[in-house]
Amino acid sequence: MRTMGLDVGSKTVGVALSDALGLTAQPHSTLHRKNLQADSKALAALAKAHEVQQWVVGLPLHMNATEGASAQAARKLGECLRAHTGFPVHYWDERLTSVMAERMLTQASLSREKRKQVVNHVAAALILQSWLDAQESQAL
């Protein structure tokens, strides 16, 4: 079952896709946000094109594990996607994934401009891979 991972921000949504076996996550693209309905429609079309059957939405928790406005915005998008597609939505703690993605891209010697273009979907891949790994370890 293919899964789409999302790194939800106020201006963009990073998108990652799993392989068909649900073992690995690959960065895919970055969606520039318009509004909740338009974003949901665009992501649903992308999911259909890639035969996605479930969502993993990164939940940006505070360091003390409480939810703030960003987490609520991610939940709103997740609920809109669930209503639009009927696919299950899983929320996953994404604390520090953007920092990790930025660090990985810096170590890969990408220019600042190139990092800005890819950091969101690399962060989405980190979120999705973390979720996939957790599912695999629960299955063992």
Side-chain angles (χ1 to χ4, degrees), residues 11-123:
K11 296 179 182 178
T12 62
V13 177
V15 178
L17 296 168
S18 75
D19 66 325
L21 297 175
L23 299 175
T24 62
Q26 297 84 33
H28 182 273
S29 59
T30 298
L31 172 75
H32 294 279
R33 299 199 67 183
K34 293 179 173 72
N35 59 56
L36 198 55
Q37 292 302 320
D39 299 344
S40 177
K41 187 175 179 179
L43 289 166
L46 192 59
K48 184 176 181 180
H50 292 281
E51 301 176 346
V52 167
Q53 297 176 342
Q54 63 183 346
W55 308 94
V56 172
V57 177
L59 202 58
L61 301 174
H62 294 298
M63 292 309 289
N64 65 1
T66 60
E67 291 188 20
S70 295
Q72 291 305 313
R75 284 191 184 276
K76 280 184 183 178
L77 180 59
E79 291 310 309
C80 195
L81 289 168
R82 183 189 329 263
H84 195 89
T85 64
F87 298 157
V89 176
H90 310 280
Y91 297 98
W92 193 251
D93 183 355
E94 70 158 56
R95 283 179 281 185
L96 301 178
T97 54
S98 292
V99 172
M100 291 185 330
E102 186 75 36
R103 185 173 294 145
M104 286 172 45
L105 295 169
T106 300
Q107 289 174 348
S109 300
L110 267 77
S111 69
R112 186 178 318 214
E113 188 58 38
K114 183 65 173 170
R115 285 194 312 262
K116 279 177 54 177
Q117 293 173 10
V118 301
V119 70
N120 294 313
H121 51 276
V122 170

Side-chain angles (χ1 to χ4, degrees), residues 120-139:
N120 294 313
H121 51 276
V122 170
L126 290 171
I127 293 164
L128 180 54
Q129 189 64 58
S130 176
W131 183 83
L132 292 170
D133 291 347
Q135 301 315 297
E136 180 68 22
S137 68
Q138 287 178 0

